[in-house]
Amino acid sequence: MNILVCIKQVPASSKVEVDPQTGVLKRAGVESKMNPYDLYALETALRLREEHGGSVTVLSMGPPQAVIREAFAMGADAGVLLSDRRFGGADVLATSYTLAQGVRRAGRFDLLICGKQTTDGDTAQVGPEIAEWLGIPSVANVRRIVRAEKGAVVVEADLPQSLETTRVQFPCLLSVDKDICQPRLPSYVKLCASRERPVTVLTLDDMDDRDERHYGLNSSPTQVRRIFPPESGVRREIWRGSGQTLGARLYTMLRQKKFV
């Protein structure tokens, strides 16, 4: 079973500056990490490989410091990085199109796995949109892999009011939720063993579709009008008095704030 996992590099901190002109996060010089939901996707792929054989390839779009090496340390076999300034500023539609083009160039895969969403966008749309561009079936909110069969996989999806068990034929795409498994820790031994492992870097010039109008900010139908970090403020009060007085005052405050 050949599996491809889409992973993304996201800011490790919530204190990230925003470009006032484009509304895009300023990622340069910001400490980054692998998107937490993608850890569950990668772990799911690794467990399927351990049970059924095959290979696990990770695909990421971003700057050269993308987290391919972290995926190698967890056990991924190969990595593909889509890195080109012309990809920058993409919304979910342009991002999914770029990733779909990258999947086509990366090879043939039985199964594609994505995390449910990213912590810097939270749209939960990119995975299913990749499947639409590729013309393959997809299942979102997957919480359990029931079993893998020859030519298909049976999964359990968490729907708003029920759980649905679905059999999906390969090739297909799954967007997995965080309840599916517990990700393993990166291995220092695997990290050292994979230091010289090459990462395939693809640019716009490597894609089947080389039209710049189909990528990046220029191809994004949704434009950010304003984005800003949440206001943070801490208000402190010091109360003095007997336990009975303070207890009554605390209860009154909680009632006023509708906490009780």
Side-chain angles (χ1 to χ4, degrees):
M1 183 186 300
N2 293 325
I3 307 172
L4 183 138
V5 182
C6 293
I7 63 175
K8 185 180 181 182
Q9 178 175 282
V10 298
S13 170
S14 59
K15 297 180 180 179
V16 181
E17 294 184 8
V18 178
D19 188 318
Q21 299 298 323
T22 63
V24 175
L25 296 179
K26 293 182 179 180
R27 301 178 185 272
V30 177
E31 184 180 355
S32 301
K33 63 179 180 180
M34 187 186 300
N35 176 51
Y37 282 93
D38 297 342
L39 293 170
Y40 301 100
L42 180 55
E43 177 64 28
T44 301
L46 295 173
R47 294 188 183 191
L48 286 171
R49 184 194 61 188
E50 291 168 356
E51 184 175 354
H52 301 282
S55 64
V56 173
T57 301
V58 292
L59 172 69
S60 184
M61 183 174 78
Q65 65 268 27
V67 289
I68 302 286
R69 295 293 171 187
E70 182 179 348
F72 286 168
M74 290 180 64
D77 300 297
V80 179
L81 176 64
L82 310 182
S83 187
D84 193 313
R85 293 297 304 173
R86 291 169 287 184
F87 297 155
D91 68 355
V92 291
L93 186 65
T95 295
S96 63
Y97 182 77
T98 306
L99 289 170
Q101 289 291 310
V103 170
R104 289 193 174 100
R105 295 296 297 166
R108 296 179 63 87
F109 300 94
D110 303 301
L111 179 62
L112 278 65
I113 306 180
C114 300
K116 176 183 177 181
Q117 61 195 64
T118 60
T119 56
D120 61 349
D122 288 329
T123 64
Q125 297 174 6
V126 171
E129 287 186 9
I130 293 174
E132 286 297 311
W133 289 118
L134 295 174
I136 61 176
S138 69
V139 182
N141 298 325
V142 174
R143 66 187 297 269
R144 185 165 73 96
I145 304 293
V146 178
R147 64 182 179 275
E149 304 173 350
K150 184 177 181 180
V153 63
V154 180
V155 301
E156 184 179 272
D158 188 4
L159 302 183
Q161 297 180 349
S162 64
L163 296 176
E164 181 180 86
T165 301
T166 306
R167 182 180 184 272
V168 197
Q169 290 187 322
F170 295 147
C172 63
L173 183 146
L174 306 178
S175 296
V176 302
D177 209 338
K178 60 183 178 61
D179 296 325
I180 194 167
C181 60
Q182 179 62 43
R184 68 193 67 187
L185 294 173
S187 166
Y188 180 72
V189 175
K190 291 179 180 178
L191 178 63
C192 293
S194 62
R195 287 189 188 280
E196 303 302 322
R197 185 179 302 170
V199 174
T200 302
V201 179
L202 301 177
T203 68
L204 177 60
D205 298 330
D206 298 305
M207 302 300 176
D208 292 336
D209 179 6
R210 300 182 180 87
D211 190 338
E212 293 186 24
R213 296 173 297 177
H214 297 163
Y215 300 89
L217 193 61
N218 293 330
S219 178
S220 300
T222 56
Q223 298 293 326
V224 178
R225 296 188 62 182
R226 181 170 178 252
I227 186 170
F228 55 92
E231 296 181 1
S232 60
V234 178
R235 179 184 174 187
R236 295 183 176 89
E237 294 183 18
I238 299 177
W239 296 349
R240 292 185 175 86
S242 65
Q244 184 176 2
T245 301
L246 293 175
R249 185 175 177 181
L250 177 61
Y251 177 75
T252 300
M253 185 196 72
L254 293 175
R255 289 274 297 183
Q256 291 174 345
K257 294 183 178 294
K258 299 182 179 181
F259 291 141
V260 295

